[in-house]
């Protein structure tokens, strides 16, 4: 099954000049979503994760069903102010300005094998910010995965961990 047939591209969203890769059409197709979960699970098995660190918000959709066959837990990496209790924060640069992501202070234990999960890798900034948060808690990042890699943005080159993507787009 060609999963790219189930990813809708929306030009000029959320602002002019951006081509948005929408996975709502992928998760809305039961067979395509099942295949997506199975293939993503297969990509991660060799890393033997203890924890999947899901990036807000579409990373949650990917990590939750994949964690079940991998028999691992899921933690949430969220935008600032979205998690209850004591949190760790990391501020990072964006193309225009800065952003902050957080995880609960006790989410990752020292030495746990962590795979970071997101729906899309673009420039790599958010994924590396998540990696910094996880490492600050003693987590051992064994890899990262995204459903979609926009390889023309060269985000993979900024990563300092193994990375895999289910689908690759090499042009806008």
């Amino acid at each position: 099954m060609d999963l790219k047939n189930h990813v809708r591209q929306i030009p000029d969203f959320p602002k002019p000049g951006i081509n948005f890769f929408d996975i709502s059409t992928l998760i809305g197709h039961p067979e395509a979503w099942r295949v997506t979960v199975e293939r993503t699970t297969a990509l991660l098995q060799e890393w033997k994760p203890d924890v999947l660190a899901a990036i807000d918000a579409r990373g949650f959709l990917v990590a939750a069903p994949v964690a079940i066959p991998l028999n691992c837990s899921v933690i949430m990496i969220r935008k600032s102010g979205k998690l209850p209790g004591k949190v760790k924060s990391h501020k990072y640069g964006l193309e225009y300005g800065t952003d902050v992501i957080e995880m609960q202070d006790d989410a990752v234990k020292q030495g746990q094998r962590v795979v970071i999960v997101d729906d899309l890798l673009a420039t790599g900034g958010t994924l590396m910010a998540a990696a910094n948060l996880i490492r600050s808690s003693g987590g051992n990042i064994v890899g990262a995965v995204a459903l979609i890699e926009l390889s023309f943005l060269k985000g993979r080159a900024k990563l300092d961990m193994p990375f895999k993507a289910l689908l690759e787009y090499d042009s806008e």
Side-chain angles (χ1 to χ4, degrees):
M1 173 179 289
D2 186 353
L3 296 175
K4 284 186 176 182
N5 292 334
H6 299 281
V7 176
R8 175 173 48 194
Q9 295 184 44
I10 302 174
D12 299 319
F13 182 83
K15 60 184 181 181
I18 301 293
N19 186 28
F20 186 79
F21 289 78
D22 181 17
I23 66 165
S24 67
T25 47
L26 178 67
I27 64 176
H29 188 280
E31 179 65 13
W33 185 235
R34 184 188 60 74
V35 169
T36 299
V37 170
E38 288 172 354
R39 290 180 186 173
T40 305
T41 301
L43 283 178
L44 302 184
Q45 283 179 323
E46 72 177 89
W47 290 333
K48 298 177 177 45
D50 301 311
V51 177
L52 300 182
I55 295 177
D56 197 345
R58 290 177 301 269
F60 302 167
L61 298 169
V62 180
V66 169
I68 296 166
L70 292 175
N71 195 35
C72 61
S73 62
V74 177
I75 65 164
M76 294 180 287
I77 307 288
R78 299 220 56 193
K79 295 173 180 110
S80 182
K82 301 288 186 179
L83 292 170
K86 189 174 178 186
V87 297
K88 288 187 174 194
S89 300
H90 183 78
K91 184 177 184 178
Y92 64 104
L94 297 170
E95 190 174 351
Y96 301 104
T98 60
D99 207 349
V100 177
I101 58 170
E102 297 177 335
M103 72 176 195
Q104 290 172 313
D105 189 55
D106 60 355
V108 175
K109 310 295 185 272
Q110 181 74 33
Q112 281 187 309
R113 297 174 59 82
V114 181
V115 171
I116 303 171
V117 180
D118 207 354
D119 69 316
L120 185 134
L121 174 68
T123 63
T126 304
L127 203 147
M128 283 306 301
N132 288 328
L133 260 181
I134 293 160
R135 289 179 178 134
S136 74
S137 291
N140 174 24
I141 299 170
V142 295
V145 69
L147 293 185
I148 298 168
E149 177 184 8
L150 304 180
S151 59
F152 58 91
L153 293 176
K154 306 198 183 317
R156 183 186 291 247
K158 295 178 185 167
L159 305 182
D160 64 358
M161 80 270 314
F163 174 79
K164 296 179 183 180
L166 199 59
L167 305 172
E168 180 183 354
Y169 292 83
D170 57 11
S171 65
E172 295 179 58

